[in-house]
Amino acid sequence: VHPAAVEVGIGHRFRPAGGAVSYALSATLGHNWYGGRNLSDYLRLEGSAERSLGPRRAVQFGIATERQWRRDAAIRSADSVTLSATLAQGLGNGDRLQIGLSGRHSASASAEIAHDALAARLSWERAESIAGIRIGASLGAESRRYGASFLAPGGRRDTRLNAELSLVFERIDYMGFLPSLDLRASRARSNVVLHDGRDFGVSLGFRSAF
């Protein structure tokens, strides 16, 4: 059984005249399928502020809120809020490293959906493309805490590790958009065996060349 998703979004990045902080706002509308059946619709709103700390270093703070409408069972619908902080560091060869921390609170009528989470992420972007392909990679870890449920009277505890490889094909430019390929792998461990597992995914999309 394989999940699938499609989403469309719009974003705007700006810096007030003479200001030292740049801002970004975005909105994303999406739909998920699982096993060929409709799973959920979602709307995500995001905002961030970034400030330079030097020629190669910057810090960013962000907030995101998401409303998810479950199509399989309304009780599993959820609202979530995420706060994040990211430190970006440019390297001598032009490559870019980012270290990020985030916290999320998800509210739902379902004990299997409502949770609190803490996550850390390390990402790398190569400055120069290879054969017209821009490369990026990331490693992440997340810990989730759920309330008491039938399968976990003392509360459920999940830990997830993930890795991602991103490829952007710069030589294929269509009206300012470049095709991209994302490869993802994750490993989940839980005190509820049902939620142990591995996941592999492939995503195709387009990114702005600007």
Side-chain angles (χ1 to χ4, degrees), residues 55-75:
R56 298 178 181 173
R57 183 176 298 171
V59 63
Q60 181 185 86
F61 297 96
I63 183 171
T65 180
E66 181 175 314
R67 170 61 178 172
Q68 185 179 85
W69 296 270
R70 289 292 290 261
R71 302 287 291 276
D72 56 340
I75 193 175

Side-chain angles (χ1 to χ4, degrees), residues 14-189:
F14 62 96
R15 179 187 301 223
V21 180
S22 61
Y23 301 90
L25 300 172
S26 67
T28 303
L29 184 65
H31 180 79
N32 286 310
W33 293 268
Y34 189 81
R37 296 186 177 183
N38 292 318
L39 179 63
S40 68
D41 300 309
Y42 57 91
L43 173 64
R44 183 169 60 250
L45 304 175
E46 299 176 271
S48 65
E50 181 176 311
R51 181 183 178 88
S52 174
L53 300 179
R56 298 178 181 173
R57 183 176 298 171
V59 63
Q60 181 185 86
F61 297 96
I63 183 171
T65 180
E66 181 175 314
R67 170 61 178 172
Q68 185 179 85
W69 296 270
R70 289 292 290 261
R71 302 287 291 276
D72 56 340
I75 193 175
R76 298 174 70 85
S77 296
D79 296 287
S80 66
V81 176
T82 302
L83 299 176
S84 62
T86 303
L87 177 65
Q89 176 67 55
L91 304 181
N93 61 358
D95 291 3
R96 183 179 175 90
L97 286 177
Q98 288 187 327
I99 299 174
L101 300 173
S102 64
R104 180 177 65 253
H105 173 71
S106 293
S108 173
S110 170
E112 295 295 325
I113 301 298
H115 68 275
D116 293 310
L118 292 175
R121 183 181 181 89
L122 173 65
S123 61
W124 162 77
E125 294 180 8
R126 182 180 171 86
E128 297 184 3
S129 59
I130 299 176
I133 302 175
R134 190 192 315 159
I135 301 174
S138 67
L139 296 173
E142 183 183 65
S143 175
R144 294 186 182 185
R145 298 173 64 91
Y146 294 79
S149 65
F150 175 75
L151 294 176
R156 189 175 119 209
R157 304 291 181 265
D158 291 0
T159 300
R160 179 180 294 269
L161 303 176
N162 58 75
E164 182 172 339
L165 177 65
S166 175
L167 307 175
V168 180
F169 301 89
E170 297 181 316
R171 294 180 181 175
I172 307 174
D173 189 329
Y174 180 74
M175 298 180 64
F177 291 91
L178 308 175
S180 63
L181 173 66
D182 294 322
L183 307 175
R184 300 184 305 276
S186 64
R187 175 71 170 101
R189 294 186 179 276

